Amino acid sequence: MAELTWNLEALYPGFGERFEQDLAGLEARLQALREKLEGQAPLSEALSALDAYLEALAPLSAYVYARYAQNTLDEEALKRLSEFESRLLNFQRLRPLLVRYLAEKDPSEAGAYRILVEEARLERAHQMSLPEEVLAAEMSLLARKAWAKLHQSLTSQITAPLNGEEKPISFVRNLAFHKDESVRKAAYEAELSAWEKNELPLAFALNGVKGEAALLNRKRGYPDDLEPTLHKNRITRPMLEALLTAMREALPLFRRYFDLKAKALGKPVLDWWDLFAPLGEGRRWSYEEGMRFIVEHLARFSPADAALAERAFRERWIDVLPRKGKVGGAFCMGAGGERSLILTNFEESFEAVSTLAHELGHAYHNFCLARRPPSLRKVPMTLAETASIMNETVVVEAALEVLPAEEGLLVLDGWLTGAAQVVVDIYSRFLFESWVFEARKGRELSGREFKELMVRAQDEAYGEALKSRHPYMWAVKGHYYGSDFYNYPYAFGLLFGLALYETHRQEKAGFLERYEDLLASSGQYTAKELGARFGFDLESPDFWRRGVKVIEERVEALGRRLNG
């Protein structure tokens, strides 16, 4: 039987001597970088020092955060995380100087590092004074990061009463996938009750996060709160507008899907607790069976991708099951070099297998990025989903081909459910965050107002296809607290990934080599440059409609299955 917790000892046996030695080495590398910048050393020397610091940082950062994420009740992990973040502040204090140093260089002389110089020039145009930028970095630990940590720690410990027992909120939310509507509805009601009890501190946290971001964006001279995320994500405003146009156009398609699902469930219209309800008869998928299925079918797409997945299973890069105190959801983080760490909250369903394949795609992306210097491995959110969407699509397509009809129906509906989340629900989250930023400029918002904005955004996205709403999604989603507009990049990633998958189906010869090079280069070029490699015009709605077309084909396939 596979081990169900990750092997952190492969990084460090604990917060002991080797960990402390590497921490000291990290500080030495940071000092070396400081000396290069202050001494106006040649660009090659400064970049070499930057890469050395980032290389040493990766395993330390992964270990500290993994210790915290696996058990937010672990006092030693909490203490070490706080200490580590204080140490990272030293780099954030130095970063304004790094930006100024790079901004003064000629991009044509930077070679492979050209994008770092170009982005530094953009950022320099919106930089406050050096003392102000240093103060902002120092205050982030006491403001945004503290609020985000509060959200993560608090929500990992929330429980909800269900059938006379207190259950972790992650367990309760997973019941959204249950076949019995009475179970789903009871879980939905228990979940809303739990969020209501924690509404006040979470509202304070969201006010704090967005208030700080809005203030700094104004100080830095950005025209709005969206603009800095466009720079960070290496996309243009016309590109985002093209994406949003395609998303809005797709809403009637998804409402048709919701109508099909409602009829299959024997209801005139869906409720919120029906969104993840399974269609068709499924079965339990053990973690071991899911592992084998993923490796087998990834191998038909990319032997290297499959080998990486097999290595992740064998070397225990994955923490599998939900438990109280463990961070919810799923994520993958680089742990230095080719290695990654993956956290899931696996329940025995194909949906969980698909999620695991998705996170292994991130791990494969990290594996490909290891070919580049550390400073060119930072991938914008818009491109960070490329390999994960590809992995997920490959595994789902395989399931639709080989599974019995009833289970195939379950998988097809599950895929469409996920696509609806990434297009429809993400659209609602984008609207909500846009409105929150606009309102937050003038004053703090109450929990009631957050709920009203959330429901209004869901009204715009779901329309009459959904009878009920989830007014606390702003409390559920940690992305609101840890970042800004961490929503549209998911839709970008899905439709970009589907376009790549269609290219693979049509042009198999030479595709893998170009695909793997794209992953390896995704920290080195803009989205526009990378898209051009495959002939994509990302500023045209027509490009994004190609991805929507794939979803439309799946909706039609579902209709045929349901109508016989």
Side-chain angles (χ1 to χ4, degrees):
M1 181 171 175
E3 291 281 355
L4 301 181
T5 57
W6 48 24
N7 177 23
L8 297 185
E9 289 194 359
L11 292 175
Y12 294 99
F15 293 116
E17 183 178 354
R18 187 158 68 84
F19 180 84
E20 293 294 344
Q21 287 175 346
D22 283 2
L23 267 184
L26 184 69
E27 290 299 314
R29 286 173 172 79
L30 184 62
Q31 180 57 31
L33 174 60
R34 179 183 298 279
E35 290 171 2
K36 298 296 183 184
L37 299 178
E38 291 177 344
Q40 287 294 307
L43 181 60
S44 61
E45 292 183 18
L47 291 172
S48 178
L50 175 62
D51 283 333
Y53 172 78
L54 294 175
E55 192 76 73
L57 173 65
L60 287 163
S61 179
Y63 181 75
V64 172
Y65 187 72
R67 282 288 302 268
Y68 164 75
Q70 70 183 12
N71 181 10
T72 61
L73 303 175
D74 182 342
E75 289 188 7
E76 183 182 16
L78 280 167
K79 172 187 170 185
R80 290 290 189 159
L81 178 61
S82 178
E83 292 172 350
F84 189 71
E85 288 178 339
S86 295
R87 286 176 179 267
L88 291 184
L89 186 57
N90 292 328
F91 177 73
Q92 293 304 319
R93 290 190 183 103
L94 184 60
R95 194 175 175 282
L97 181 60
L98 173 63
V99 169
R100 290 197 173 196
Y101 172 90
L102 291 173
E104 293 169 355
K105 306 304 176 186
D106 185 344
S108 66
E109 297 176 0
Y113 296 86
R114 172 181 56 85
I115 196 164
L116 299 186
V117 174
E118 291 177 343
E119 289 187 330
R121 289 186 164 194
L122 276 175
E123 188 173 346
R124 178 70 184 90
H126 292 281
Q127 223 179 27
M128 299 181 290
S129 69
L130 278 176
E132 286 175 318
E133 288 290 352
V134 170
L135 178 60
E138 291 175 341
M139 289 296 293
S140 68
L141 279 184
L142 307 175
R144 174 170 215 135
K145 290 182 180 177
W147 290 121
K149 193 186 299 182
L150 169 66
H151 175 272
Q152 193 168 64
S153 182
L154 178 60
T155 56
S156 72
Q157 298 174 50
I158 290 176
T159 61
L162 202 62
N163 300 324
E165 294 184 62
E166 288 291 326
K167 295 291 187 181
I169 196 70
S170 59
F171 174 87
V172 175
R173 283 183 54 75
N174 276 340
L175 291 176
F177 296 92
H178 201 282
K179 188 170 182 62
D180 187 331
E181 182 178 6
S182 65
V183 174
R184 297 195 307 270
K185 183 178 180 180
Y188 164 83
E189 291 172 346
E191 182 197 350
L192 292 192
S193 175
W195 291 120
E196 183 178 16
K197 293 174 184 175
N198 293 276
E199 175 183 312
L200 186 61
L202 294 175
F204 272 112
L206 191 55
N207 272 302
V209 165
K210 299 310 175 190
E212 178 194 356
L215 174 62
L216 289 174
N217 289 337
R218 290 198 299 273
K219 283 290 215 178
R220 289 170 175 148
Y222 287 108
D224 57 30
D225 297 299
L226 181 62
E227 185 72 16
T229 75
L230 300 177
H231 294 174
K232 186 177 180 181
N233 286 311
R234 295 175 179 169
I235 68 170
T236 62
R237 197 173 288 263
M239 200 178 293
L240 177 60
E241 288 301 326
L243 170 65
L244 291 172
T245 295
M247 292 171 70
R248 285 189 289 268
E249 290 175 352
L251 294 180
L253 168 65
F254 281 101
R255 290 168 188 170
R256 189 158 82 243
Y257 159 62
F258 293 142
D259 184 55
L260 285 170
K261 184 161 188 168
K263 287 181 170 59
L265 293 173
K267 302 181 67 168
V269 64
L270 292 180
D271 279 290
W272 190 276
W273 56 83
D274 300 319
L275 284 173
F276 298 97
L279 297 186
E281 289 297 326
R283 59 183 175 83
R284 290 185 177 276
W285 282 74
S286 70
Y287 176 63
E288 292 81 359
E289 184 181 11
M291 289 192 308
R292 291 192 296 271
F293 191 88
I294 289 170
V295 171
E296 175 187 351
H297 293 286
L298 282 183
R300 299 178 184 179
F301 165 66
S302 165
D305 197 351
L308 191 279
E310 193 168 28
R311 179 181 172 190
F313 296 136
R314 184 178 63 252
E315 297 182 7
R316 292 175 51 204
W317 293 3
I318 308 167
D319 193 284
V320 182
L321 300 177
R323 57 183 177 271
K324 185 176 180 180
K326 180 178 174 179
V327 168
F331 66 77
C332 173
M333 60 181 170
E338 299 174 349
R339 180 185 296 273
S340 293
L341 289 175
I342 294 171
L343 180 143
T344 70
N345 282 272
F346 190 93
E347 85 289 341
E348 294 186 331
S349 68
F350 186 82
E351 180 72 21
V353 175
S354 177
T355 297
L356 181 57
H358 181 103
E359 298 306 329
L360 285 164
H362 285 300
Y364 185 61
H365 200 158
N366 291 337
F367 174 81
C368 292
L369 284 166
R371 305 173 190 174
R372 299 292 189 265
S375 58
L376 298 180
R377 296 175 194 166
K378 185 177 180 182
V379 179
M381 293 183 288
T382 40
L383 298 172
E385 299 298 320
T386 304
S388 55
I389 294 296
M390 182 67 79
N391 265 28
E392 189 177 344
T393 305
V394 167
V395 169
V396 167
E397 282 290 309
L400 292 175
E401 290 177 8
V402 305
L403 295 181
E406 275 293 299
E407 194 171 1
L409 174 61
L410 181 73
V411 171
L412 177 57
D413 174 62
W415 188 90
L416 285 168
T417 296
Q421 285 293 294
V422 174
V423 177
V424 184
D425 204 65
I426 285 294
Y427 184 61
S428 76
R429 295 184 220 172
F430 175 80
L431 292 177
F432 169 80
E433 191 160 5
S434 300
W435 297 336
V436 166
F437 264 120
E438 187 61 31
R440 185 63 185 85
K441 290 177 181 177
R443 60 176 176 82
E444 291 185 347
L445 281 73
S446 67
R448 175 186 58 79
E449 289 173 303
F450 283 132
K451 288 186 290 183
E452 289 173 352
L453 289 176
M454 191 81 259
V455 169
R456 177 184 160 199
Q458 290 167 358
D459 287 345
E460 290 267 347
Y462 288 96
E464 295 180 357
L466 205 61
K467 187 166 62 175
S468 46
R469 303 289 185 253
H470 192 313
Y472 285 104
M473 286 305 291
W474 59 271
V476 175
K477 296 299 179 182
H479 290 151
Y480 288 127
Y481 301 80
S483 188
D484 297 324
F485 289 103
Y486 200 158
N487 34 58
Y488 70 79
Y490 278 105
F492 187 111
L494 174 67
L495 298 182
F496 184 79
L498 289 177
L500 274 178
Y501 182 73
E502 284 302 298
T503 302
H504 161 65
R505 293 173 65 178
Q506 297 165 13
E507 307 170 14
K508 284 187 168 59
F511 175 84
L512 278 183
E513 183 178 353
R514 287 194 297 156
Y515 171 66
E516 290 170 359
D517 184 63
L518 181 147
L519 296 180
S521 304
S522 55
Q524 193 174 350
Y525 299 98
T526 65
K528 187 173 184 176
E529 290 172 313
L530 290 169
R533 295 185 178 192
F534 287 87
F536 298 158
D537 177 7
L538 304 189
E539 293 185 344
S540 167
D542 286 340
F543 166 75
W544 304 105
R545 291 175 184 133
R546 292 170 61 180
V548 172
K549 179 65 175 175
V550 176
I551 300 171
E552 184 176 16
E553 292 169 0
R554 302 284 173 82
V555 173
E556 291 171 354
L558 180 69
R560 289 193 297 271
R561 284 178 183 253
L562 292 175
N563 298 323

